[in-house]
Amino acid sequence: MHEMSIAESVLQIIEDQARAEIIETAGQGWCMDCARNVALPALYEPCPNCGGVQIEVTGGEEMRVKKLEVE
């Protein structure tokens, strides 16, 4: 998981430099228990419809850096 630590470091640098310029998107998932697309308020939260925990994340994990200037 070396790549994960690199990505987390890059994210921390971006957050430090871009205060108040980060747009967060809502999490989305597919609940395997009730077979519905659901909005996820946070990763690893149960399904808001049925309380199931078998959820495949389908959105909200994307990250795009449009511009970053570092000195």
Side-chain angles (χ1 to χ4, degrees), residues 13-30:
I13 291 168
I14 292 168
E15 287 176 343
D16 291 343
Q17 294 295 317
R19 300 205 191 275
E21 292 185 34
I22 294 176
I23 300 169
E24 294 188 19
T25 57
Q28 297 290 318
W30 173 258

Side-chain angles (χ1 to χ4, degrees), residues 18-58:
R19 300 205 191 275
E21 292 185 34
I22 294 176
I23 300 169
E24 294 188 19
T25 57
Q28 297 290 318
W30 173 258
C31 178
M32 295 179 214
D33 293 330
C34 66
R36 295 176 71 178
N37 284 315
V38 294
L40 298 174
L43 195 57
Y44 306 118
E45 289 288 316
C47 173
N49 293 320
C50 72
V53 293
Q54 293 188 20
I55 299 175
E56 179 181 346
V57 176
T58 58

Side-chain angles (χ1 to χ4, degrees), residues 9-22 65 67-71:
S9 296
V10 169
L11 181 58
Q12 185 63 49
I13 291 168
I14 292 168
E15 287 176 343
D16 291 343
Q17 294 295 317
R19 300 205 191 275
E21 292 185 34
I22 294 176
V65 178
K67 180 179 176 182
L68 177 64
E69 290 184 28
V70 180
E71 294 182 17

